[in-house]
Each structure stands twice: as C-alpha cells, then as structure tokens.
C-alpha cells in the first residue's frame, strides 16, 4: 500500500486522539471543581438552579435550595462552584458599590414633560392637522403641468 492511501486514516486517527484528550481534560477539571466544594459554598446545577451546599457525601450533595428547603443531588449534577461574591450577586442581587446600568423602572428614560402619566395615542386635533397640510386654496391656485385649459385642445 502507498502512503497516499494511508494518509486519510492517519489524519482521522490523530483527530480522534486529540478530541478524546480534550474531553478527558474537561472531565478532570469538572471533577476537580466538584471536589473543591465545601459546605457553605454556592453552586449552580446543570439545570440552572442556584443553591448552597450543606453536606457532601461520596456521590451525592445535600443542597439548600431556599431557607429550610433541602434537596439531595448527584455530584455530577453540579455545573459550577461559584465564589461568594458571584453567588451573592446572582442570588441576592448584591452589587458592591455599583449602580445598575438599567434602572428598575422606566421613569428615568422619559421626558419630565411627559411624566404626568398620560399618553396621547389619539389623532391630532383638527387645527393641528390643517396646519401640517397645505391649504386647499394654495393647492388649487398652483396649476399643474399636466392640466389643460378649457380653451386648449
């Protein structure tokens, strides 16, 4: 057999080796992250639930989901171990010394003149509508280029 025939197989085997190696590294990092859990740390499950670790067993973790509410989860169900600041920012909304980029209400986004609570969704009054459009006498007085006089044929 020639080397040209074996080259695609060699490339395929090399790609498979690299992919499995990176997957193993990710699994090792996830296992180390789960082993770093201590009672009292905040975690996020793979389902997106935030909780506090209460007890750690061999394959399971007891999580406090809400005050007084406990649930048992598999260690593999822990998606991320969060540091204290990040957990408090997400769960409790604590923002140390910063103001939110978007206010809780829209009052600061509108003009003060329009803040009386009334929004005009209706049509313009007749007087305003007429001032925006040319009057009928101005439109009639200007002859159009396409119009023919009665005397012209």
């Amino acid at each position: 057999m020639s080397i040209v025939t074996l080259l695609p197989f060699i490339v395929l085997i090399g790609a498979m080796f690299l992919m499995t190696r990176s997957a193993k590294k990710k699994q090792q990092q996830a296992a180390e992250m789960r082993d770093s859990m201590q009672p009292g740390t905040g975690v996020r499950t793979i389902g997106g639930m935030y909780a506090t670790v209460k007890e750690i067993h061999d394959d399971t973790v007891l999580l406090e989901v809400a005050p007084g509410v406990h649930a048992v989860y598999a260690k593999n169900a822990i998606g991320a171990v969060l540091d204290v600041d990040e957990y408090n920012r997400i769960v409790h909304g604590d923002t140390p010394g910063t103001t939110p980029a978007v206010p809780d209400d829209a009052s600061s986004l509108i003009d003060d003149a329009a803040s009386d609570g009334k929004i005009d969704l209706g049509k313009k009054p007749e007087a305003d509508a007429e001032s925006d459009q040319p009057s009928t006498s101005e439109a009639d007085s200007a002859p159009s280029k396409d119009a023919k006089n009665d005397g012209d044929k």
Side-chain angles (χ1 to χ4, degrees):
M1 297 186 102
S2 68
I3 190 76
V4 176
T5 308
L6 293 176
L7 188 62
F9 293 111
I10 294 171
V11 170
L12 183 64
I13 290 171
M16 288 174 39
F17 173 75
L18 291 175
M19 285 190 284
T20 56
R21 183 175 170 194
S22 66
K24 284 183 183 179
K25 276 187 176 181
K26 287 182 183 179
Q27 286 177 348
Q28 282 180 339
Q29 289 174 346
E32 289 173 7
M33 181 251 329
R34 290 183 188 109
D35 290 338
S36 70
M37 285 187 299
Q38 298 295 326
T41 59
V43 295
R44 183 183 67 234
T45 65
I46 58 174
M49 183 181 67
Y50 293 91
T52 305
V53 176
K54 288 297 175 185
E55 296 177 8
I56 301 172
H57 301 286
D58 292 336
D59 294 331
T60 60
V61 179
L62 181 67
L63 299 179
E64 185 175 28
V65 180
V69 179
H70 296 88
V72 178
Y73 277 80
K75 272 191 177 179
N76 291 337
I78 305 300
V81 176
L82 308 172
D83 60 3
V84 176
D85 293 334
E86 184 178 7
Y87 180 77
N88 288 334
R89 181 183 58 81
I90 293 170
V91 174
H92 303 297
D94 294 347
T95 52
T98 59
T99 58
V102 178
D104 289 339
D105 60 352
S107 63
S108 64
L109 302 176
I110 57 175
D111 295 334
D112 290 334
S115 65
D116 60 355
K118 297 179 182 177
I119 299 173
D120 182 24
L121 298 176
K123 294 182 178 180
K124 291 183 179 180
E126 292 291 327
D128 291 342
E130 289 177 3
S131 66
D132 292 343
Q133 298 175 356
S135 66
T136 56
S137 62
E138 292 174 2
D140 293 340
S141 65
S144 65
K145 294 179 182 178
D146 296 336
K148 292 184 178 181
N149 292 337
D150 290 329
D152 296 339
K153 290 192 179 189

